[in-house]
């Protein structure tokens, strides 16, 4: 059961088996982020051509460069998403094998204490939350890409416009503080929600899997009431979690919009006084809007990570509550002993 205790262990196993894929995904992420960070500078040059701040002859070159950046970003994103999703699926498969081994090595008494549908829900519902984390956070505006762009945006602004950079730095820092407080306060909510959702799935599976027995003894009404209790608990936990998400969303939006107001007022003052070129200011506006989507993505990722951690924690607590059968542990080797399934597959 200790095998599923560490999510990092599963990630490390996959990383050791797929070093090229990890390196390719990391390189593609950095390249795509660099292209995205370069695009606002060339967009501002195009606008400068329209307002007369730059010769019109530069328009075609800036437009061609911008189109090349867009094509490059799409190509790098394709490589990143493909590699990241493939690696993530391997991690989820590794966790599922670890959990299934931990269940198989339990003593018979363990299966008398827990319903088979409840145990099956660990593999489907709980680890399905982990898979959702992988699939949903491989896009540009979520996960590592969003975090990379948040940091990169501030770094670029400090390089090209040091006087405007603190505005965006404030947005990132305030967002980080709000998210950290959210993570500290909502751990119990995510755990409760994961448990409630798993109970609903287990209740339905148990009733439908033995529907002939339920029908023979006329237990439809009792089964319906039991399912209703589980569904109500799931609804209650979902409502509590949605309130926490709403509070986080509101606080995060407030930080971002305050940064925009400061950028428009203070940035406009710098442009009027000649301390910042209009092209740099236009690029800063583009970076700020990019930061809005990036920070929003990181917030969503933080919530997904919390939900996945709660699901894994519940699975770990369940299988570690009892001591496994030592003879079965020797009979069924761990993945570290037997090697990953499908090691020869690309």
């Amino acid at each position: 059961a200790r095998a599923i205790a560490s999510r990092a262990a599963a990630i490390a196993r996959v990383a050791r088996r797929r070093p090229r894929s990890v390196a390719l995904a990391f390189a593609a992420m950095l390249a795509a982020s660099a292209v995205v960070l370069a695009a606002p500078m060339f967009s501002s040059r195009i606008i400068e051509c329209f307002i007369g701040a730059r010769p019109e002859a530069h328009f075609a070159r800036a437009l061609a460069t911008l189109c090349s950046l867009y094509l490059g970003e799409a190509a790098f994103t394709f490589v990143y998403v493909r590699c990241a999703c493939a690696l993530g699926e391997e991690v989820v498969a590794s966790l599922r094998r670890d959990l299934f081994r931990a269940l198989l090595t339990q003593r018979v008494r363990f299966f008398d204490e827990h319903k088979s549908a409840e145990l099956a829900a660990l593999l489907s519902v709980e680890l399905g939350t982990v898979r959702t984390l992988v699939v949903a956070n491989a896009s540009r505006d979520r996960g590592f890409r969003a975090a990379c762009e948040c940091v990169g945006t501030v770094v670029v602004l400090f390089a090209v416009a040091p006087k405007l950079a603190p505005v965006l730095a404030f947005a990132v820092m305030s967002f980080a503080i709000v998210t950290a407080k959210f993570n500290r306060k909502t751990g119990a909510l995510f755990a409760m929600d994961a448990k409630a959702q798993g109970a609903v799935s287990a209740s339905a599976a148990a009733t439908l899997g033995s529907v002939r027995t339920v029908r023979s003894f006329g237990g439809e009404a009792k089964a319906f009431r039991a399912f209703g209790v589980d569904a109500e608990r799931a609804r209650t936990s979902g409502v509590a979690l949605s309130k926490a998400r709403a509070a986080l969303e509101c606080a995060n939006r407030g930080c971002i919009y305050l940064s925009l107001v400061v950028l428009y007022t203070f940035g406009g003052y710098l442009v009027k006084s000649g301390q910042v070129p209009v092209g740099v200011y236009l690029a800063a506006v583009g970076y700020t809007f990019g930061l809005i989507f990036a920070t929003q993505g990181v917030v969503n990722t933080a919530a997904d990570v919390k939900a996945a951690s709660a699901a894994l924690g519940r699975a770990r607590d369940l299988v570690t509550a009892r001591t496994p059968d030592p003879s079965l542990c020797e009979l069924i080797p761990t993945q570290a002993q037997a090697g990953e399934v499908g090691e020869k597959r690309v």
Side-chain angles (χ1 to χ4, degrees):
R2 189 180 303 174
I4 69 163
S6 176
R7 177 181 51 192
I11 297 175
R13 282 200 301 265
V14 173
R16 285 195 299 267
R17 294 181 58 245
R18 298 284 187 265
R20 293 184 180 180
S21 297
V22 173
L24 185 59
F26 183 73
M29 180 191 71
L30 293 181
S33 298
V35 169
V36 168
L37 294 175
M41 296 301 297
F42 291 94
S43 298
S44 66
R45 293 181 183 181
I46 293 176
I47 297 176
E48 284 181 312
C49 293
F50 293 154
I51 63 177
R54 188 180 291 269
E56 293 185 5
H58 294 178
F59 172 78
R61 182 187 304 173
L63 182 61
T65 303
L66 189 61
C67 291
S68 300
L69 291 176
Y70 288 155
L71 291 175
E73 194 273 338
F76 290 133
T77 298
F78 172 81
V79 175
Y80 168 72
V81 171
R82 182 174 181 178
C83 292
C85 286
L87 292 170
E89 291 290 354
E90 284 204 44
V91 171
V92 173
S94 180
L95 289 171
R96 279 179 174 151
R97 289 192 291 268
D98 284 339
L99 177 57
F100 192 62
R101 178 186 180 276
L103 292 174
L104 286 179
T105 56
Q106 295 294 322
R107 302 176 190 271
V108 176
R109 180 178 55 182
F110 175 85
F111 297 97
D112 293 334
E113 297 172 349
H114 301 282
K115 300 177 181 178
S116 59
E118 177 187 3
L119 301 178
L122 293 178
L123 294 168
S124 57
V125 178
E126 314 296 31
L127 292 188
T129 304
V130 180
R131 186 176 183 277
T132 300
L133 168 68
V134 173
V135 175
N137 289 278
S139 59
R140 171 194 167 184
D141 58 346
R142 300 285 287 271
F144 292 112
R145 280 287 305 272
C148 186
E149 289 184 22
C150 281
V151 177
T153 298
V154 177
V155 171
V156 170
L157 257 296
F158 269 106
V160 300
K163 295 182 179 181
L164 282 176
V167 176
L168 294 185
F170 166 78
V172 174
M173 291 301 297
S174 58
F175 144 77
I177 294 173
V178 169
T179 304
K181 291 183 177 180
F182 172 79
N183 288 336
R184 284 199 302 268
K185 293 181 179 180
T186 56
L189 289 178
F190 277 106
M192 181 178 66
D193 185 66
K195 182 178 181 179
Q197 300 302 326
V200 169
S201 177
S203 177
T207 300
L208 298 177
S210 57
V211 67
R212 292 182 181 274
T213 303
V214 173
R215 186 63 53 83
S216 299
F217 290 92
E220 292 87 352
K222 182 178 180 181
F224 182 76
R225 287 194 298 270
F227 180 81
V229 172
D230 291 330
E232 179 62 22
R233 290 175 180 171
R235 185 196 69 82
T236 302
S237 65
V239 170
L241 193 59
S242 65
K243 290 180 180 179
R245 286 180 181 270
L248 174 66
E249 187 81 14
C250 180
N252 186 52
R253 289 289 180 177
C255 296
I256 291 174
Y257 291 146
L258 180 59
S259 299
L260 282 174
V261 171
V262 175
L263 176 65
Y264 292 148
T265 55
F266 179 63
Y269 165 75
L270 294 178
V271 172
K272 292 288 289 183
S273 61
Q275 301 181 51
V276 173
V278 64
V280 173
Y281 176 72
L282 292 173
V285 173
Y287 285 125
T288 304
F289 280 102
L291 185 63
I292 289 176
F293 295 107
T295 51
Q296 186 65 36
V298 175
V299 168
N300 293 331
T301 298
D304 291 342
V305 169
K306 202 70 176 178
S309 298
L312 285 177
R314 180 173 178 269
R316 180 178 61 247
D317 293 342
L318 184 63
V319 299
T320 56
R322 296 287 185 182
T323 303
D325 190 331
S327 61
L328 292 177
C329 291
E330 295 178 0
L331 180 64
I332 307 175
T334 63
Q335 295 184 58
Q337 295 169 339
E340 290 280 355
V341 175
E343 184 172 356
K344 296 183 180 180
R345 293 199 304 265
V346 177

